[in-house]
């Protein structure tokens, strides 16, 4: 190599050095914006916004628990034993989600674990709700008898478009078993995926970001199958128990995945366009997650009120009528 070649090589190295340093600065800046602080760093650099957010989140959580306590008290008074346990479990989903959102605000590093808890509430609520639906008609076998072999339409959301070509189906024991498996696959299938994702996130976050998109089709497919089966079941039971507000109860369950999963993911990306917070530790990610979880807490209060209204019927009305008959008999 002659002197001119050496000079050119030295110039190239000199030009590459600032570029490498600039790239490292960009990476460290992006990392500081997205890194979650430890508990000591979080509370050691507390801001007025976060203090106010914690106060509001605590009040909203307490309000949700109060609504839940009132609802459970009413269910315990007005429901018989077969319906009491699944109904109480269903209304318990929403305060648990509120507590998970509050913990996310209190401990930002735990956000993925708390987000998983929110997701678990839906995939556990699905099988519980299906159990409750068939307890409204005593059992699956009793439903087959009461329905009298009436055919059921399969074109229900979220598969109402591509299922139009499917024929009407007469519910039988075997077909109800398939429907049961479509719902019960959610906690096993999605639970396994979320467990793996949590391990990856807290052990090797870079590997998590590389493989997370491969899990999304499996989670979406599992949710669609479960919701489709539940919608068909709601349509079946509504024909026999039309005054039980089953569609409203199903909508309340769907709001869990809509608000805690879809809305969370959409806002998580959309809020990146708004500059919030400062440098590490109270960075953009902390502010973003705080805002999202405050919104979820407000929504869970509203959903809990809707749930309280949905689960008032039908048992309470029937018991009140029985009590009136007893009073008339005594008189």
């Amino acid at each position: 190599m002659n002197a001119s070649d050496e000079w050119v090589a030295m110039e190239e190295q000199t030009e590459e050095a600032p570029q490498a340093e600039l790239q490292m600065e960009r990476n460290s800046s992006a990392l500081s914006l997205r890194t979650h602080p430890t508990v000591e760093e979080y509370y050691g650099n507390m801001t007025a916004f976060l203090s106010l957010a914690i106060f509001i989140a605590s009040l909203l959580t307490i309000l949700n628990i109060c609504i839940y306590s009132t609802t459970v008290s009413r269910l315990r008074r007005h429901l018989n034993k077969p319906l009491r346990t699944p109904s109480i479990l269903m209304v318990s989903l929403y305060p648990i989600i509120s507590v998970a959102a509050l913990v996310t605000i209190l401990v930002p590093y735990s956000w993925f674990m708390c987000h998983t808890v929110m997701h678990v509430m839906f995939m556990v609520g699905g099988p519980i709700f299906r159990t409750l639906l068939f307890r409204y008609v005593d059992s699956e076998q009793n439903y087959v008898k009461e329905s009298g072999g009436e055919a059921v339409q399969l074109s229900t959301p979220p598969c109402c478009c591509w299922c139009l070509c499917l024929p009407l189906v007469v519910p039988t024991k075997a077909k109800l078993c398939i429907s049961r498996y479509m719902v019960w696959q959610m906690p096993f299938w999605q639970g396994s995926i979320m467990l793996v994702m949590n391990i990856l996130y807290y052990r090797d976050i870079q590997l998590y970001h590389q493989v997370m998109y491969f899990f999304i089709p499996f989670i979406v497919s599992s949710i669609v199958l479960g919701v489709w089966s539940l919608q068909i079941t709601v349509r079946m039971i509504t024909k026999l128990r039309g005054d039980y507000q089953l569609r409203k109860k199903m909508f309340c369950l769907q709001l869990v995945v809509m608000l805690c999963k879809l809305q969370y993911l959409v806002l998580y990306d959309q809020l990146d366009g708004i500059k919030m917070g400062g440098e590490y530790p109270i960075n953009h990610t902390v502010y973003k997650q705080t805002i999202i979880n405050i919104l979820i807490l407000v929504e869970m209060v509203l959903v809990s009120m809707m749930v309280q209204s949905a689960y008032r019927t039908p048992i309470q009305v029937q018991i009140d009528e029985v009590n009136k008959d007893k009073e008339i008999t005594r008189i």
Side-chain angles (χ1 to χ4, degrees):
M1 181 181 293
N2 53 29
S4 61
D5 292 337
E6 291 180 356
W7 178 258
V8 171
M10 289 176 62
E11 286 185 344
E12 290 178 353
Q13 292 178 359
T14 305
E15 292 176 356
E16 290 176 357
Q19 294 179 358
E21 292 178 359
L22 181 61
Q23 185 65 30
M24 290 177 63
E25 289 179 0
R26 289 177 180 175
N27 293 337
S28 62
S29 177
L31 186 63
S32 66
L33 289 176
R34 299 183 180 277
T35 303
H36 293 84
T38 62
V39 176
E40 293 80 5
E41 292 172 335
Y42 181 65
Y43 286 99
N45 297 272
M46 183 65 61
T47 63
F49 170 78
L50 293 176
S51 300
L52 180 62
I54 291 174
F55 175 71
I56 295 174
S58 302
L59 290 181
L60 290 172
T61 305
I62 293 172
L63 177 59
N64 202 328
I65 293 174
C66 291
I67 297 172
Y68 165 73
S69 301
T70 305
T71 307
V72 170
S73 177
R74 182 175 296 159
L75 292 176
R76 289 174 63 88
R77 290 197 311 267
H78 296 287
L79 286 181
N80 52 25
K81 191 173 182 179
L83 298 180
R84 187 184 305 147
T85 301
S87 297
I88 291 176
L89 289 175
M90 287 303 301
V91 302
S92 301
L93 303 179
Y94 309 96
I96 294 176
I97 292 173
S98 295
V99 172
L102 176 62
V103 172
T104 304
I105 297 174
L106 295 175
V107 187
Y109 186 71
S110 66
W111 81 271
F112 193 77
M113 190 180 301
C114 295
H115 182 67
T116 302
V117 171
M118 298 178 187
H119 187 99
V120 167
M121 290 301 101
F122 173 75
M123 66 187 190
V124 170
I128 296 173
F129 185 59
R130 188 184 184 279
T131 301
L132 179 62
L133 288 174
F134 280 103
R135 287 195 180 182
Y136 283 138
V137 291
D138 293 335
S139 65
E140 293 183 5
Q141 295 178 352
N142 192 60
Y143 167 77
V144 175
K145 294 178 182 178
E146 287 192 33
S147 62
E150 184 179 359
V152 178
Q153 193 172 8
L154 299 181
S155 58
T156 60
C159 304
C160 52
C161 297
W162 62 273
C163 291
L164 292 174
C165 57
L166 295 179
L168 298 178
V169 175
V170 177
T172 60
K173 186 176 180 180
K175 292 172 183 175
L176 290 177
C177 184
I178 295 174
S179 172
R180 188 190 315 129
Y181 290 149
M182 289 173 65
V183 176
W184 276 95
Q185 54 83 23
M186 290 197 298
F188 293 102
W189 187 247
Q190 296 177 42
S192 302
I193 293 176
M194 295 306 295
L195 177 61
V196 172
M197 292 179 71
N198 271 269
I199 294 173
L200 290 176
Y201 182 83
Y202 288 106
R203 289 291 184 89
D204 190 346
I205 192 169
Q206 293 183 350
L207 179 60
Y208 163 79
H209 286 298
Q210 292 174 3
V211 303
M212 60 177 292
Y213 295 105
F214 294 101
F215 291 114
I216 293 178
F218 298 100
I219 295 176
V220 172
S221 301
S222 176
I223 292 175
V224 169
L225 279 177
V227 172
W228 184 34
S229 177
L230 286 173
Q231 289 282 12
I232 295 172
T233 306
V234 167
R235 176 174 291 187
M236 290 162 47
I237 306 298
T238 301
K239 293 181 179 180
L240 301 178
R241 304 290 187 269
D243 57 341
Y244 281 24
Q245 301 192 76
L246 300 182
R247 296 185 187 278
K248 189 175 183 179
K249 295 173 183 176
M250 179 63 191
F251 180 67
C252 292
L253 178 61
Q254 287 177 298
L255 284 176
V256 174
V257 71
M258 292 169 61
L259 299 177
C260 300
K261 195 69 178 179
L262 297 179
Q263 176 187 256
Y264 202 111
L265 295 176
V266 171
L267 290 179
Y268 200 84
D269 289 333
Q270 293 298 320
L271 289 177
D272 283 338
I274 304 174
K275 188 176 181 180
M276 297 178 292
E279 296 297 328
Y280 183 86
I282 309 301
N283 52 19
H284 173 80
T285 299
V286 172
Y287 272 72
K288 177 173 63 174
Q289 289 185 350
T290 301
I291 293 172
I292 294 174
N293 284 285
I294 288 289
L295 179 61
I296 289 177
L297 283 167
V298 173
E299 292 166 343
M300 285 302 109
V301 170
L302 299 177
V303 174
S304 294
M305 296 171 65
M306 187 185 301
V307 168
Q308 188 179 66
S309 173
Y311 282 85
R312 284 181 178 177
T313 55
I315 305 302
Q316 181 179 358
V317 176
Q318 294 177 355
I319 290 179
D320 289 343
E321 291 177 354
V322 171
N323 291 336
K324 288 180 181 179
D325 293 339
K326 288 182 179 180
E327 290 178 1
I328 294 172
T329 304
R330 289 177 183 175
I331 294 173

